[in-house]
Amino acid sequence: MQNLNKAIIDFILPWLLEHGIRIAIIVVGLWIAHKFAEAILSKTIRKMVKTDRFASEEEEIKREDTIINIMVISIHVAIWVLGGLMILSEIGINITPLIAAAGIGGLAFGFGGQYLISDLISGLFIILENQYRIGDVVCFDKTCGLVEKITLRRTILRDLDGTVHNVPNGQIKTASNLSHEYARVNLNIGVDYSTNLEKVIKVINRVGNELTEDKNWKEDIIKTPQFLRVDEFADSAIVIKILGETKPLRQWDVTGELRKRLKIAFDNEGIVIPFNQLVLHKAPENG
């Protein structure tokens, strides 16, 4: 029995002195890498993430925390998987078959899950770059709507008809954000060719100023809608362009109110908004 114990000790003690110490060093190294990666990622991401001047501090912190959690979990998994393989190797287990099996499994997953991976990577960059957020109105090619939810895999939009669109992030080629930081009143209006343009300009600017000074609308307007230029000589009208700036998502309401006020002001000032007319000329009769 003593010989057996001595043999066990003679076997275990050298193993512990060699492999045991290495395993302990690996575990300590993994723990340090775990903490170091978390601290570095947290500081780096908070510096890299673009801030939105219309977002509250709480919203920005939530977005940053979401990105940090995603990145930290991914890095932690990679660290501990690598560390686990190193420990198995020290124990004496041949990890070559495991690596080969992982390679085959990864290849199979690559063929079957390439679209999922594309969705996840695209979703990460959408959140990281703040391309759009919940509450924005965006257009993906021909699909437009209010962003109700964003995940790493998909974006959920609801259009004016109430229809919900589930769009995989990997399929988004162009994202047009209609409510990022600010929006614009971009209005074209036609007036009759006989109209005094100087009078039209004064009326337009006056109506824009009155709208901006209105207590019900002034909080929505960043830059007063004003005459910009004569935009076109159309068939039946001189087309005037009016431009202004509003807070996000308020451009449609402000533009609608501006149209209403311009119509009333034009009527009061005798300014005609023409409609398309077709003039027919009768050919002379052969006498």
Side-chain angles (χ1 to χ4, degrees):
M1 189 67 177
Q2 291 180 352
N3 292 334
L4 179 60
N5 291 337
K6 185 177 183 302
I8 293 174
I9 292 173
D10 290 342
F11 173 77
I12 292 177
L13 188 60
W15 188 92
L16 287 175
L17 290 175
E18 182 180 355
H19 299 285
I21 292 175
R22 289 180 182 176
I23 291 173
I25 292 173
I26 290 172
V27 171
V28 172
L30 291 173
W31 183 83
I32 293 174
H34 180 102
K35 295 297 182 181
F36 185 76
E38 185 172 346
I40 291 298
L41 281 173
S42 179
K43 290 182 179 180
T44 302
I45 289 173
R46 293 195 191 280
K47 289 182 179 180
M48 288 177 58
V49 171
K50 297 178 180 179
T51 57
D52 187 336
R53 61 192 176 102
F54 289 103
S56 66
E57 183 179 353
E58 184 180 356
E59 289 176 327
E60 289 296 331
I61 291 174
K62 285 182 179 179
R63 186 165 66 92
E64 291 170 0
D65 289 342
T66 299
I67 300 169
I68 290 170
N69 288 336
I70 293 168
M71 297 297 293
V72 166
I73 290 172
S74 302
I75 294 296
H76 285 177
V77 170
I79 289 173
W80 288 105
V81 167
L82 179 61
L85 291 174
M86 294 171 66
I87 291 172
L88 289 175
S89 179
E90 285 297 327
I91 292 173
I93 298 175
N94 186 6
I95 63 173
T96 303
L98 294 176
I99 296 175
I104 295 172
L107 185 62
F109 180 79
F111 284 116
Q114 56 181 328
Y115 296 110
L116 175 61
I117 295 172
S118 175
D119 292 343
L120 296 179
I121 293 175
S122 298
L124 177 62
F125 278 101
I126 287 170
I127 297 172
L128 180 64
E129 297 174 350
N130 197 24
Q131 296 178 17
Y132 53 84
R133 57 184 181 150
I134 294 173
D136 281 341
V137 174
V138 299
C139 290
F140 306 144
D141 296 327
K142 296 182 180 179
T143 304
C144 299
L146 180 72
V147 179
E148 291 196 336
K149 187 176 181 181
I150 306 172
T151 67
L152 284 180
R153 194 180 68 82
R154 63 176 180 167
T155 298
I156 299 176
L157 304 181
R158 186 182 295 273
D159 63 23
L160 283 177
D161 295 327
T163 305
V164 174
H165 304 273
N166 291 275
V167 185
N169 293 328
Q171 295 183 14
I172 299 173
K173 304 304 179 184
T174 301
S176 302
N177 192 335
L178 307 184
S179 54
H180 185 68
E181 295 190 354
Y182 68 92
R184 275 191 173 146
V185 172
N186 185 3
L187 177 62
N188 283 357
I189 188 167
V191 296
D192 192 84
Y193 270 97
S194 62
T195 306
N196 184 326
L197 285 181
E198 293 298 329
K199 179 181 179 181
V200 172
I201 293 170
K202 289 180 181 178
V203 172
I204 289 174
N205 291 343
R206 186 191 76 220
V207 171
N209 290 328
E210 290 172 354
L211 180 61
T212 303
E213 293 168 2
D214 191 314
K215 64 179 182 179
N216 295 321
W217 295 96
K218 65 180 180 180
E219 295 299 326
D220 297 324
I221 300 173
I222 298 173
K223 186 175 180 180
T224 302
Q226 297 283 275
F227 166 85
L228 180 66
R229 63 172 177 259
V230 174
D231 207 47
E232 182 185 359
F233 290 134
D235 292 338
S236 302
I238 300 174
V239 179
I240 304 295
K241 179 172 285 293
I242 303 168
L243 208 64
E245 293 180 4
T246 72
K247 289 185 177 179
L249 301 177
R250 298 300 296 161
Q251 64 266 41
W252 298 291
D253 290 336
V254 172
T255 302
E257 180 67 16
L258 180 62
R259 286 194 186 99
K260 183 189 79 173
R261 294 186 179 214
L262 284 174
K263 178 62 171 68
I264 294 173
F266 281 10
D267 288 346
N268 292 337
E269 297 290 340
I271 298 172
V272 177
I273 302 176
F275 51 87
N276 290 333
Q277 301 181 33
L278 180 63
V279 179
L280 297 179
H281 296 276
K282 186 178 179 182
E285 296 180 358
N286 293 329

